Amino acid sequence: MLTIRNLQKQYVVRGGLLRTKQGVVHAVNDLHLHVRHGETLGLVGESGCGKSTLARLILGLETPTSGEIILKNIPLEQWQGQHLRRTVQMIFQDPYSSLNPRWTVGSIVREPLDILGRHPLEQRRKKTREMLSRVGLGQDDMARYPHEFSGGQRQRVAIARALAPEPELVVCDEPVSALDVSIRAQVLNLLHSLQKDMGLTYLFISHDLSVISHLCDRVAVMYLGSVVELAPRQSFFKTPRHPYSAALLTAVPIPDPSIPPQEMPLTGELPSPLSPPQGCPFHPRCPQAMDICSRQKPTFREIQPGHHVACWLYEATTQDKRNMS
């Protein structure tokens, strides 16, 4: 469904009276990723690691500095605007700001159908009613405004709007992080059932590993603009290979006081994307860093079937095995 190779996105920072160049933000840095048809790929990482920037690049809202984004074997730059919007849609993080407060819910959900203009008006209205019904809202809700709904109901409206054009790939940018815990399970179950009914592919962005473990088939870990690990869900949560992934998992609290916490403290702060470190981006904070980590960036490679990682620990292991043979 989606293949990303050597993707880079840089922003020039300007300041001062003459707006002179102050530096370059490396928001996405040499990123590799692939999403299979019909799966849910979870993308996790700290705030500021480039997850939302990647989402905007996939939707064509931002232009890459370099690299390739290939959607259904066609480079993204060759897609026409309307054809791209029919194929890829996005569910935004905040249902309070992503819905127009001056429009009724019916107008909001029907808007992408009006823009694409593939059907007569009455057919578009019928489709709107069907989509609201699918997300658990009634026909009477079409005449109401977003402020008349709860947070969970607003997110259901946002889901209905995203799915109205019947896309194949849906980018979910932390769609439940702004919701109460009691509402999150309802929205996640709704997304899961809609995926089965409509044959959807999800790229699910989140910082909540419990949500990722519940919904996703594979997990990609992003750090400072790069994917450092990509693995099936069970393999990732059972045996994470990258030190950063292991640190993320040990930071998740276990709701059982009889189990002692297994902490893996990281030293230092997240480096600035204005001046990313040389070599492996994680080496200044890594408890297992080696000399080569500060000099050369590891390649993103498959160390076992379906499990990819960018770490010199496994580069060295592979090289040792070759030397022994």
Side-chain angles (χ1 to χ4, degrees):
M1 175 63 72
L2 179 71
T3 302
I4 300 173
R5 301 192 190 105
N6 305 107
L7 188 65
Q8 303 232 13
K9 179 59 181 178
Q10 301 172 355
Y11 297 96
V12 176
V13 178
R14 300 185 182 275
L17 184 62
L18 301 178
R19 304 294 295 169
T20 56
K21 181 178 177 180
Q22 303 290 315
V24 176
V25 173
H26 300 265
V28 176
N29 191 14
D30 194 26
L31 186 141
H32 300 261
L33 195 64
H34 63 278
V35 183
R36 300 167 182 159
H37 179 77
E39 76 166 347
T40 300
L41 175 65
L43 185 64
V44 301
E46 293 176 84
S47 298
C49 70
K51 303 188 298 295
S52 294
T53 301
L54 175 61
R56 296 177 67 83
L57 289 169
I58 293 171
L59 268 81
L61 301 177
E62 300 273 0
T63 304
T65 304
S66 63
E68 293 180 301
I69 302 176
I70 302 172
L71 180 63
K72 298 180 65 177
N73 297 321
I74 302 174
L76 194 67
E77 61 269 16
Q78 295 182 15
W79 284 79
Q80 299 295 326
Q82 287 197 356
H83 290 94
L84 180 62
R85 291 295 167 257
R86 291 192 188 110
T87 306
V88 186
Q89 283 289 323
M90 186 168 181
I91 301 171
F92 294 92
Q93 177 178 356
D94 186 4
Y96 294 90
S97 61
S98 63
L99 303 178
N100 191 330
R102 296 180 179 270
W103 285 19
T104 64
V105 163
S107 299
I108 290 171
V109 176
R110 201 184 70 230
E111 181 188 16
L113 301 176
D114 293 340
I115 293 173
L116 295 176
R118 290 190 295 177
H119 306 291
L121 177 59
E122 187 54 42
Q123 195 170 346
R124 297 198 298 268
R125 287 174 175 168
K126 180 181 178 183
K127 180 71 174 179
T128 301
R129 291 192 293 269
E130 290 176 354
M131 288 310 307
L132 287 172
S133 176
R134 279 195 167 193
V135 300
L137 297 176
Q139 184 174 341
D140 295 340
D141 294 322
M142 291 181 62
R144 299 169 64 190
Y145 290 86
H147 72 269
E148 300 179 69
F149 293 89
S150 66
Q153 289 174 319
R154 292 188 201 190
Q155 196 62 294
R156 288 172 183 266
V157 174
I159 293 170
R161 177 181 60 181
L163 301 187
E166 298 182 359
E168 297 179 52
L169 174 64
V170 180
V171 180
C172 307
D173 188 7
E174 304 200 29
V176 296
S177 63
L179 305 179
D180 293 339
V181 176
S182 59
I183 306 298
R184 290 186 185 184
Q186 298 177 19
V187 175
L188 291 175
N189 291 333
L190 172 63
L191 289 171
H192 185 62
S193 63
L194 289 172
Q195 182 181 34
K196 286 185 175 181
D197 294 341
M198 303 179 67
L200 300 170
T201 302
Y202 287 149
L203 175 60
F204 196 93
I205 299 172
S206 179
H207 60 267
D208 190 335
L209 288 173
S210 62
V211 171
I212 294 294
S213 66
H214 175 73
L215 191 67
C216 299
D217 302 302
R218 292 189 302 146
V219 183
V221 181
M222 198 168 175
Y223 184 81
L224 209 63
S226 301
V227 172
V228 297
E229 185 165 2
L230 174 64
R233 176 185 57 190
Q234 292 182 348
S235 177
F236 173 77
F237 283 97
K238 185 176 181 180
T239 55
R241 298 305 183 95
H242 197 279
Y244 177 62
S245 303
L248 285 180
L249 289 174
T250 57
V252 178
I254 301 173
D256 188 346
S258 64
I259 301 177
Q262 298 179 352
E263 296 184 0
M264 184 180 174
L266 299 178
T267 59
E269 298 289 335
L270 181 71
S272 171
L274 273 168
S275 56
Q278 292 245 334
C280 174
F282 186 60
H283 86 266
R285 305 172 68 191
C286 181
Q288 304 179 59
M290 302 177 290
D291 290 340
I292 193 172
C293 300
S294 60
R295 300 194 309 268
Q296 189 174 346
K297 187 175 182 178
T299 57
F300 188 68
R301 58 184 295 140
E302 188 174 26
I303 59 171
Q304 65 184 51
H307 202 137
H308 298 73
V309 68
C311 183
W312 280 113
L313 292 171
Y314 303 99
E315 293 272 3
T317 302
T318 304
Q319 189 63 41
D320 291 343
K321 290 179 180 178
R322 289 176 180 170
N323 294 337
M324 290 175 64
S325 60

